[in-house]
Amino acid sequence: MRRDESAAVDRGQFQDAVTPWETRTWREAALGWVEGELAARGLREAGRRSVRLRPWSVLVRIPVEGQGAVFFKASPPASAFEAGLAQALSRWIPGRVLEPIAVDAEQGWSLLPDGGPLFRDELNRGAAGPAEWEEMLRQYARAQRELAPYVGRMEALGVPDGRVAALPEIFDRMVEDNAVLAPADRAALRDIRPRLAQWCAELAGFGIAETLDHSDLHDGQTFVPEPGRFLFFDWGDAALAHPFGVLLIPGRVVRERYGPEALPRLRDAYLEPWTGTGHTAVELRRAVSLAWRLGAIGRARSWGRLFPGAARGAGDLGSVDGARWLRELLTDPPL
């Protein structure tokens, strides 16, 4: 077996985060699995590995002869469903998602190909702009509609339930359990609880089928294998939820990059595949506003999906960022 001691390790700003990479037996088992999967496909390593460690994943880049590189990803226990979900999505909506080379669903391990240029890289070199963001959201909306019939099967794979009916209870639990919420914030969140229940009831009343929400869809989670086509990946934050909540993250990124005037076009581009469902444009836009706001609950919840022991300074990383997202519920959405 190739020794992993020579691998370059990137810990980013999380120098103290605990991941399984620190355990030799885990490293040897994981890298041994990778080597076996590569050998089974006639692939050979061709260079130095590089390792990216974060509280929410272990990612190892492995150069391969004739193929550039492949990537090993290990998810924490609360996101272990990601490996099996990615494999299933590649069957249900082929050509729309990155298809794994191999997965070990029980361990939460994936071996992934290089998906091509990142959307972020295309944006940074000036080859894309707001119109491409709009097209990316159209394509994701189509994927969501195609996935609605598979909700039961995704639930069986372990994808968390963040559907509208479950949100009030999730909210209650998160507000009470978050150790770093300031007393004033906790009180303000408790005060909006009746309104939150009303928002959920109104959103559910539109009758829009719930499906897969990526929950962290942005330019670094999307490949552009060819002009005009987007390939979605990285499902560790995903949940079964109201589809329109997916706009929360790309909407914030687009607003920061291009200004708030870009948001209405982005919203309407996303909603194009949802026309013809018996809802008026006014109803769809109202549903977006509600789902945008309630999407903060899913974001807060996803910050709990870290490796056990992951921390940042004196505060628990999940609680710190979870509190930040819970406070977003106190702010009116921009759409």
Side-chain angles (χ1 to χ4, degrees):
M1 175 182 292
R2 285 171 50 93
R3 291 295 175 187
D4 50 271
E5 284 81 356
S6 64
V9 178
D10 166 22
R11 294 180 179 272
Q13 61 181 311
F14 305 101
Q15 296 298 311
D16 298 327
V18 177
T19 74
W21 186 259
E22 283 74 41
T23 305
R24 176 181 289 276
T25 54
W26 186 92
R27 289 199 308 270
E28 291 182 348
L31 296 175
W33 177 77
V34 169
E35 290 169 351
E37 295 297 336
L38 291 176
R41 292 160 178 80
L43 301 175
R44 294 173 57 86
E45 291 190 46
R48 188 185 185 195
R49 298 167 178 162
S50 56
V51 182
R52 181 179 181 272
L53 302 181
R54 298 294 185 267
W56 52 85
S57 69
V58 171
L59 188 69
V60 184
R61 182 184 185 276
I62 305 162
V64 173
E65 289 181 359
Q67 286 199 205
V70 298
F71 299 83
F72 165 76
K73 182 176 183 180
S75 300
S79 291
F81 65 85
E82 180 182 5
L85 175 63
Q87 187 176 57
L89 292 176
S90 69
R91 297 194 305 267
W92 298 336
I93 50 171
R96 296 189 186 274
V97 298
L98 185 67
E99 180 179 358
I101 297 168
V103 304
D104 183 327
E106 184 175 348
Q107 297 286 347
W109 293 347
S110 304
L111 186 61
L112 304 165
D114 187 333
L118 276 176
F119 185 30
R120 177 172 296 166
D121 295 338
E122 297 292 286
L123 291 165
N124 288 341
R125 68 183 183 88
E132 283 70 31
W133 276 100
E134 293 162 16
E135 179 58 23
M136 185 267 276
L137 266 295
R138 285 190 197 94
Q139 292 185 24
Y140 190 75
R142 294 184 191 113
Q144 285 182 302
R145 294 201 64 182
E146 292 174 25
L147 287 171
Y150 297 98
V151 163
R153 295 171 72 175
M154 288 187 279
E155 188 171 21
L157 289 171
V159 180
D161 183 5
R163 285 168 283 192
V164 175
L167 290 182
E169 182 179 345
I170 294 170
F171 169 82
D172 291 341
R173 187 167 61 249
M174 297 193 67
V175 170
E176 294 308 313
D177 292 349
N178 191 290
V180 302
L181 271 174
D185 290 332
R186 196 183 310 276
L189 288 165
R190 287 171 176 163
D191 285 346
I192 68 163
R193 174 58 164 78
R195 295 173 61 202
L196 184 138
Q198 293 171 359
W199 297 332
C200 290
E202 184 181 357
L203 184 58
F206 289 116
I208 296 166
E210 292 175 293
T211 180
L212 184 68
D213 179 2
H214 185 285
S215 297
D216 194 25
L217 186 63
H218 56 71
D219 46 323
Q221 311 278 43
T222 311
F223 291 118
V224 187
E226 58 188 63
R229 185 166 77 89
F230 296 88
L231 205 61
F232 305 107
F233 71 102
D234 200 341
W235 305 97
D237 290 325
L240 303 174
H242 194 283
F244 294 3
V246 76
L247 275 169
L248 173 61
I249 296 299
R252 288 165 66 96
V253 175
V254 165
R255 179 178 57 181
E256 181 177 346
R257 187 163 189 147
Y258 304 109
E261 60 274 14
L263 287 181
R265 284 182 57 89
L266 186 78
R267 173 200 60 198
D268 291 348
Y270 170 78
L271 288 175
E272 283 180 20
W274 299 96
T275 59
T277 58
H279 300 91
T280 67
V282 170
E283 290 172 332
L284 291 173
R285 290 172 179 173
R286 174 59 178 165
V288 164
S289 181
L290 291 165
W292 179 298
R293 188 167 208 155
L294 294 168
I297 299 174
R299 290 300 302 145
R301 187 187 188 196
S302 72
W303 274 102
R305 302 184 207 172
L306 306 174
F307 288 116
R312 182 172 64 191
D316 176 74
L317 179 61
S319 295
V320 170
D321 285 280
R324 176 172 59 86
W325 278 106
L326 287 172
R327 288 192 295 270
E328 287 288 318
L329 289 161
L330 304 172
T331 304
D332 290 336
L335 286 170

